[in-house]
Amino acid sequence: VIQLEQVSRVYGQGEALIRACDRIDLSIYPGEYCAIMGQSGSGKSTLMNLIGCLDRPTSGRYLLDGMDVSRLSKTRLARIRNRKLGFVFQRYELLPNLTALENVIVPMMYAGVGRSRRRRRAEYALQRVGLSDRLHKRPGQLSGGQQQRVAIARAIVNRPLVLLADEPTGALDTQSAKTIVEIFDHLHASGMTVIVVTHAQEVACYSKRTIMISDGRLLSDHLTSVA
Amino acid sequence: VIQLEQVSRVYGQGEALIRACDRIDLSIYPGEYCAIMGQSGSGKSTLMNLIGCLDRPTSGRYLLDGMDVSRLSKTRLARIRNRKLGFVFQRYELLPNLTALENVIVPMMYAGVGRSRRRRRAEYALQRVGLSDRLHKRPGQLSGGQQQRVAIARAIVNRPLVLLADEPTGALDTQSAKTIVEIFDHLHASGMTVIVVTHAQEVACYSKRTIMISDGRLLSDHLTSVA
Ligand SMILES: Nc1ncnc2c1ncn2[C@@H]1O[C@H](COP(=O)(O)OP(=O)(O)OP(=O)(O)O)[C@@H](O)[C@H]1O
Ligand SMILES: Nc1ncnc2c1ncn2[C@@H]1O[C@H](COP(=O)(O)OP(=O)(O)OP(=O)(O)O)[C@@H](O)[C@H]1O
Ligand SMILES: [Mg+2]
Ligand SMILES: [Mg+2]
């Protein structure tokens, strides 16, 4: 469902050239559960933004669900993102003027889901991440981990084909992190393709396949070892 | 050096009242190394903001270095913050239009450190956190973990009395996190008081004292157990 061929993303030029992603070949099949790991600055978020169609490669080809994503118009790309992808950003990226509930409802409005159904689904997603008592708070009134959990609820609420999560438990204590990992595991069991960038072994161990990134390049790609 | 007496911080009122901090009594002596732990939303960042004089308690008293902080003017408070405290924010809070180097230099300008000396100290701090090759990048051009490391360099560069770090390794891989923990350990050995909010056992284990927060209240306060 995700096929990257010699995908690169560079910034700057000449001496200041930074190869955030460097000729990456990667094929991910429907229903897989992949963990992407690597040092800080190695290119994981850049790779996720490319996979999530939030950024275009500077070279190489990216086929999402068989379609060459670089050929699609901005509008078509936005629609595909909304329908097929759920994204948990490393910096959450919640809309600061909307409440937690409204933030989670937004993607369903774009997907054309009916009003009462969106509300119910949003409340359910927020309940699953333990935030039923914070529905009407704005991000500025939420703790770091609470904001992260709103971002997670928002990513899963449209039942995407592919869930992309960039460090989804970075701000969470062990217990909250466990809840999130169980949610992802459940979604994966129901057929969702899950790709998680993580530094945490407790999250990576649930994946079936581990992809290591180093200096923008693919270092290794193998079955997750059972520790 | 830090003395909180029945310190509370509440938001809202009536039914919507949230006790982010609830009558906390806490005394931290010079040179201590404390880890503050607790669930997401339990009040750790709120407590850190109170200790760091970035927020005022709604009730209770806070003595910093013997002075009643609630009596001080805003200007005096800002000067004390700049001289005595180094703060690593959970959300980094870097100035987006300044480079990494400039961000780290800013606190020293307020402290009246000479121009060439500030530059040298900033370069050294950034080198310690492994970012010598990113000095002239702005936060938007840095990865999550790189931004977090700039925030850490900025907090330590003025050699504060007290280092307050709210989840300083949340976005870091194991190796980068280890570097940061060693830096904190080194600073503590040189006499600095270190207070770290963390979810990570690998960070908390370096502390001498563990303070657990739950629902805004102090749950426990004891010597860090050697696992
Ligand atoms: N401005 C605000 N208005 C209302 N409630 C707030 C506000 N700021 C924080 N809170 C609430 O206070 C509580 C404590 O928040 P705090 O940020 O201190 O938690 P935390 O322990 O740092 O959590 P995390 O581990 O997720 O970062 C949370 O339940 C949060 O929703
Ligand atoms: N807009 C940009 N301009 C220049 N360089 C950039 C830009 N965005 C990212 N980079 C660089 O690309 C590299 C990869 O960044 P990326 O955010 O993908 O790292 P990461 O693996 O997600 O790191 P972390 O674990 O710290 O989040 C970094 O070295 C970063 O400095
Ligand atoms: Mg990243
Ligand atoms: Mg916090």
Side-chain angles (χ1 to χ4, degrees):
Chain A
V1 65
I2 285 167
Q3 195 165 323
L4 279 76
E5 297 171 6
Q6 288 290 301
V7 161
S8 292
R9 176 64 166 106
V10 305
Y11 294 101
Q13 43 193 340
E15 253 211 33
L17 187 76
I18 291 180
R19 300 182 190 281
C21 280
D22 190 7
R23 288 160 296 163
I24 295 195
D25 290 315
L26 187 61
S27 298
I28 297 176
Y29 299 92
E32 284 207 72
Y33 193 154
C34 305
I36 298 178
M37 305 184 84
Q39 294 226 330
S40 169
S42 57
K44 308 178 295 298
S45 296
T46 306
L47 177 60
M48 290 294 265
N49 289 339
L50 290 170
I51 294 174
C53 303
L54 294 156
D55 190 15
R56 284 185 195 278
T58 37
S59 64
R61 203 162 70 121
Y62 173 28
L63 301 162
L64 170 65
D65 223 10
M67 280 182 284
D68 187 339
V69 146
S70 44
R71 295 279 156 77
L72 301 175
S73 68
K74 285 213 165 206
T75 338
R76 199 109 190 270
L77 210 56
R79 230 176 355 114
I80 286 180
R81 267 205 315 271
N82 177 263
R83 287 284 168 74
K84 302 193 177 189
L85 306 172
F87 210 118
V88 185
F89 295 88
Q90 187 169 7
R91 305 310 299 286
Y92 324 156
E93 313 287 347
L94 300 176
L95 299 168
N97 298 328
L98 299 188
T99 64
L101 188 68
E102 291 164 346
N103 262 287
V104 176
I105 282 175
V106 168
M108 289 185 281
M109 292 172 83
Y110 283 112
V113 178
R115 199 163 179 273
S116 62
R117 193 135 143 265
R118 329 190 263 254
R119 189 181 172 98
R120 253 184 300 131
R121 276 214 241 161
E123 288 181 353
Y124 179 61
L126 284 163
Q127 178 203 322
R128 286 187 82 181
V129 298
L131 290 175
S132 304
D133 60 345
R134 290 284 185 280
L135 301 182
H136 309 295
K137 295 296 177 197
R138 258 165 281 116
Q141 299 169 312
L142 297 174
S143 76
Q146 289 168 340
Q147 290 175 38
Q148 188 164 43
R149 285 183 274 156
V150 174
I152 290 163
R154 178 179 63 176
I156 64 178
V157 83
N158 246 348
R159 294 169 201 166
L161 263 190
V162 187
L163 175 64
L164 301 167
D166 196 345
E167 319 245 19
T169 63
L172 302 180
D173 58 279
T174 323
Q175 201 164 320
S176 310
K178 199 158 170 293
T179 306
I180 298 309
V181 172
E182 283 167 1
I183 291 173
F184 286 10
D185 205 42
H186 197 139
L187 292 169
H188 172 243
S190 72
M192 196 179 284
T193 308
V194 180
I195 305 170
V196 186
V197 165
T198 186
H199 291 305
Q201 209 40 257
E202 320 77 80
V203 176
C205 64
Y206 277 70
S207 69
K208 299 282 177 297
R209 176 178 169 192
T210 300
I211 296 159
M212 300 289 307
I213 304 286
S214 171
D215 289 325
R217 276 184 237 113
L218 206 61
L219 190 71
S220 69
D221 182 355
H222 53 67
L223 291 178
T224 301
S225 44
V226 186
Chain B
V1 66
I2 284 165
Q3 195 165 324
L4 279 75
E5 297 170 6
Q6 289 289 300
V7 162
S8 292
R9 176 63 166 108
V10 304
Y11 294 102
Q13 45 192 334
E15 254 210 33
L17 185 78
I18 290 180
R19 300 184 189 280
C21 280
D22 190 6
R23 290 161 293 163
I24 293 193
D25 290 314
L26 188 61
S27 297
I28 297 176
Y29 300 91
E32 284 208 71
Y33 193 154
C34 303
I36 297 179
M37 305 184 84
Q39 295 223 329
S40 167
S42 58
K44 306 178 296 295
S45 296
T46 304
L47 177 59
M48 290 294 266
N49 288 338
L50 291 170
I51 293 174
C53 301
L54 294 155
D55 189 17
R56 286 186 194 275
T58 38
S59 65
R61 203 163 69 125
Y62 173 27
L63 301 162
L64 171 64
D65 222 9
M67 279 184 283
D68 188 339
V69 146
S70 47
R71 296 278 156 79
L72 301 175
S73 68
K74 286 213 167 204
T75 337
R76 199 111 188 268
L77 210 57
R79 220 162 19 103
I80 285 181
R81 266 205 314 271
N82 176 264
R83 289 283 168 75
K84 303 193 177 188
L85 306 172
F87 210 116
V88 185
F89 295 88
Q90 186 169 8
R91 306 311 298 282
Y92 323 155
E93 314 285 349
L94 300 176
L95 298 169
N97 299 327
L98 299 187
T99 64
L101 188 67
E102 290 164 345
N103 261 288
V104 176
I105 282 176
V106 167
M108 290 185 282
M109 294 173 79
Y110 283 112
V113 178
R115 200 164 181 275
S116 62
R117 195 137 141 263
R118 315 193 275 255
R119 190 182 172 100
R120 251 182 303 131
R121 276 214 241 164
E123 288 181 355
Y124 178 60
L126 284 162
Q127 177 204 322
R128 287 187 80 180
V129 299
L131 289 174
S132 303
D133 60 344
R134 289 284 185 282
L135 300 182
H136 309 294
K137 296 295 177 202
R138 258 165 281 118
Q141 299 168 312
L142 297 174
S143 76
Q146 289 169 340
Q147 291 176 37
Q148 188 164 44
R149 285 183 275 156
V150 175
I152 290 164
R154 178 179 64 174
I156 65 178
V157 82
N158 246 349
R159 295 168 201 168
L161 263 188
V162 187
L163 174 64
L164 301 167
D166 195 344
E167 317 247 20
T169 63
L172 302 179
D173 58 278
T174 323
Q175 201 163 321
S176 309
K178 197 157 171 291
T179 305
I180 298 309
V181 173
E182 284 168 0
I183 291 173
F184 286 10
D185 204 43
H186 196 139
L187 291 169
H188 172 242
S190 73
M192 196 179 283
T193 307
V194 180
I195 305 170
V196 185
V197 166
T198 186
H199 291 307
Q201 209 41 259
E202 320 79 79
V203 176
C205 66
Y206 278 70
S207 70
K208 298 283 176 295
R209 178 179 170 190
T210 299
I211 296 159
M212 301 288 307
I213 304 286
S214 170
D215 291 324
R217 275 183 237 115
L218 206 62
L219 191 72
S220 69
D221 181 355
H222 53 68
L223 292 178
T224 301
S225 44
V226 186

